[in-house]
């Protein structure tokens, strides 16, 4: 009989739950809901309960067959206490939410919670591009740039649970202002947010671009525009739009410099690049890989493989399920 | 009876050997010799043999009481094969030198070889500022800037044995040219070499400075000047020399930015700063610490302790002895 666990990936726009066979990484059933930035703690937990139940129903399994539940969430997490400390994407009312305990009270199975990027790295480590690799780095390029580090075969959690924040390493002292408030961080140069800011700037100053046709509703001069979707960037690059190609190449140039720093510093066997923009836009991956090899020290640069993530949208739920099963096993040993 | 091993620290100007009690970290006897950049492999090994024998004689112990010999060297090392692959400080003739095997043939005890910064980190981990800390980073500021990473209680060797090269992370894309040939690396802003280049520049353009008195033989316009010694920098700062204070503060500012990047990326419990310039010049440590805290993300920045290395000049020989004893124990288990 397979070992089953539920993995939940709680993102800025949707929550995805899956029943996962943690011996094979196979997803047996899923449930999905939109999230809302105005949700308080109660609504948020209700959405998670509902997606877990939908996933079990889809997989045709009962809670009695589930070893545990794991949640990955974009935010600050206290893994030991099972707390969601806070998150930038959700209501400010969601602070120090005892997510693991509430899940355990509801479903009567052990529950665990982790940072979303760390669980995606666990998914890639166990069943994806990091299989059987002892020293690697996962980097996900999306709205922001997150990462996770595996050394000696183990995820590095970090003293405050935040290891892997590649987006907040400096590439340009006193450079662009980052979302975090500091200056010159990689995220301010190579994230979807940064690419959007650069492109809207070019549109404002009147440069011709196919983006006007691809996003007819966007007013580049209006404040607070959402980040341009990865699919739009992909189409514009395919149409050889010079403005978009420039912006992606610039992002790839900085991403490559940031990665070269980490190659020199960590000397990993492999870098796994994933996330929406990397998956959609080949030019970003290719530019980043070329620049990383150009900028890295010879021996470290030759040693590193740079590959794409393999599990796509499922890396989060698979990783969360793996964490859930491991955490359940650890708890039963302690008893 | 104490467990004794010999640790050898092979630097750019001297080679130091010590008989170390690896249960306490105590140094029982030492031997020292100058090194020469023109040494070929034979001369180099002879110097090591002689310092090992001098250390045993100083400690009044015989080789029969020694568990193993460990060597730390500033250069590229293949730890598994016991090879010195190459080093920038010594003759170009020293390539792929089977150092461990030659030591074993000579002394008939197991021998091991590692990068000098990694062994210093092992020394600090076992008996110095890293004791009982699972996640830390050692950074040594000297002629260059080296480092070593410990995660989950273990040294991270890196895929090519070069993890920890903080000196070659980017702080300023397209910035100053680094010794390695790339641009904008931390080492080009915050090493003794970088501080020297900045100070000689200020002297060339005629700014008044006490350095002229402290280094009467130095012609700031002559090519190939050696790096200014740490003791001179210390004296100039103590004399409140504005030019020197500016240069040290600038180095500290960049060092702090580089460290903040690593704090955000690795989220370590502790950063241990050591090396000649850090030990001599308090202003560098203080500036770097202040800027690290200013630039780091809040949670990671609050979590990290920034401390000075404890073992001073002995971190290398103590670490090398620890590695020697561990390596000897591993070899005897294999038999």
């Amino acid at each position: 009989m397979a070992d089953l666990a539920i993995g939940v990936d709680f993102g800025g726009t949707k929550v995805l739950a899956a029943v996962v066979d943690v011996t094979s990484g196979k997803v047996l059933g899923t449930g999905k809901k939109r999230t809302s930035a105005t949700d308080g703690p109660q609504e948020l937990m209700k959405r998670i309960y509902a997606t877990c139940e939908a996933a079990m129903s889809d997989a045709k399994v009962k809670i009695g067959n589930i070893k545990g539940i794991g949640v990955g969430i974009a935010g600050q997490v206290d893994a030991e206490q099972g707390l969601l400390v806070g998150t930038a994407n959700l209501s400010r009312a969601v602070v120090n939410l005892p997510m693991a305990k509430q899940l355990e009270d509801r479903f009567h199975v052990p529950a665990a919670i982790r940072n979303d990027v760390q669980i995606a790295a666990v998914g890639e480590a166990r069943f994806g591009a990091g299989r059987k690799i002892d020293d690697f780095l996962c980097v996900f390029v999306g709205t922001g740039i997150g990462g996770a580090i595996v050394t000696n075969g183990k995820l590095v959690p970090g003293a405050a649970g935040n290891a892997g924040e590649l987006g907040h390493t400096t590439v340009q002292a006193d450079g662009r202002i980052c979302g975090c408030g500091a200056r010159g961080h990689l995220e301010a140069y190579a994230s979807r947010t940064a690419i959007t800011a650069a492109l809207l700037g070019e549109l404002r100053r009147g440069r011709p671009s196919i983006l006007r046709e691809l996003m007819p509703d966007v007013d580049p001069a209006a404040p607070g525009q959402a980040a341009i979707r990865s699919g739009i960037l992909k189409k514009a690059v395919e149409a050889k739009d010079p403005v978009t190609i420039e912006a992606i190449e610039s992002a790839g140039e900085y991403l490559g410099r940031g990665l070269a720093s980490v190659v020199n510093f960590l000397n990993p066997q492999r870098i796994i690049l994933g996330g929406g923009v990397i998956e959609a836009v080949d030019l970003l991956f290719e530019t980043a890989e070329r620049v990383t090899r150009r900028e890295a020290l010879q021996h470290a640069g030759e040693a590193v493989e740079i590959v794409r993530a393999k599990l796509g949208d499922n890396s989060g739920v698979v990783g969360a399920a793996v964490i859930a099963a491991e955490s359940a096993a650890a708890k039963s040993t302690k008893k």
Side-chain angles (χ1 to χ4, degrees), chain A:
Chain A
M1 167 85 204
D3 263 4
L4 304 184
I6 294 178
V8 179
D9 185 1
F10 201 108
T13 55
K14 67 171 197 285
V15 50
L16 178 67
V19 174
V20 177
D21 175 349
V22 294
T23 57
S24 69
K26 212 179 150 192
V27 171
L28 305 181
T30 59
K32 197 197 291 202
K33 271 196 176 296
R34 299 208 141 265
T35 55
S36 160
T38 60
D39 275 1
Q42 308 301 328
E43 292 85 4
L44 187 154
M45 292 308 298
K46 274 190 196 158
R47 282 184 211 265
I48 294 183
Y49 301 153
T51 53
C52 289
E53 276 154 7
M56 285 189 281
S57 158
D58 187 35
K60 299 190 178 62
V61 299
K62 303 253 181 258
I63 189 71
N65 297 317
I66 300 291
K67 302 267 175 188
I69 301 175
V71 181
I73 189 159
Q76 259 238 297
V77 163
D78 182 332
E80 215 154 291
Q81 307 285 328
L83 285 183
L84 174 61
V85 177
T87 160
N89 299 322
L90 294 167
S91 160
R92 279 164 194 276
V94 180
V95 174
N96 292 326
L97 175 64
M99 214 174 224
K101 177 157 188 322
Q102 295 198 6
L103 279 163
E104 289 176 354
D105 288 350
R106 165 84 180 207
F107 290 110
H108 309 288
V109 296
I113 164 172
R114 294 287 188 285
N115 171 288
D116 62 337
V117 180
Q118 294 187 346
I119 59 137
V122 168
E124 290 289 338
R126 192 63 64 87
F127 298 112
R131 269 189 87 172
K132 301 184 181 170
I133 302 289
D134 269 357
D135 294 287
F136 68 90
L137 175 71
C138 276
V139 178
F140 296 91
V141 182
T143 313
I145 296 180
I149 307 163
V150 171
T151 64
N152 298 315
K154 281 195 171 172
L155 186 72
V156 177
N162 298 314
E165 282 280 20
L166 185 71
H168 300 285
T169 57
T170 298
V171 289
Q172 186 91 53
D174 277 326
R176 297 185 197 165
I177 296 173
C178 181
C180 76
R183 280 175 169 274
H185 286 176
L186 178 59
E187 192 162 296
Y189 290 85
S191 64
R192 202 151 60 95
T193 314
I195 294 167
T196 298
L199 287 173
L200 294 180
E202 296 299 340
L203 297 181
R204 280 202 298 281
R205 66 193 189 117
R207 287 188 63 192
S209 166
I210 198 173
L211 288 171
R212 288 179 218 282
E213 293 160 44
L214 293 172
M215 330 181 286
D217 301 335
V218 168
D219 171 4
Q225 289 291 350
I228 299 175
R229 280 184 288 120
S230 303
I232 301 276
L233 295 174
K234 178 189 168 79
K235 278 184 196 162
V237 170
E238 283 172 356
K240 301 197 161 45
D241 181 54
V243 168
T244 307
I245 289 174
E246 270 171 31
I248 296 287
E249 283 182 342
S250 164
E253 176 79 27
Y254 281 101
L255 181 56
R257 284 166 189 265
L259 292 176
S261 280
V262 196
V263 166
N264 293 350
F265 177 62
L266 261 191
N267 187 199
Q269 291 172 267
R270 189 174 282 187
I271 290 177
I272 300 170
L273 290 178
V277 196
I278 289 286
E279 280 181 26
V281 188
D282 285 344
L283 180 62
L284 182 60
F285 180 93
E286 289 156 10
T287 309
E289 184 185 12
R290 179 171 48 79
V291 174
T292 306
R293 298 207 184 276
R294 186 191 74 203
E295 293 291 318
L297 292 171
Q298 187 185 356
H299 292 280
E302 285 170 357
V304 71
E305 295 171 281
I306 304 175
V307 303
R308 287 180 165 83
K310 268 194 184 160
L311 302 181
D313 256 8
N314 279 341
S315 59
V317 289
V318 170
V322 168
I323 293 279
E326 280 178 358
S327 166
K331 279 180 187 172
S332 79
T333 316
K334 266 191 204 161
K335 276 177 191 165

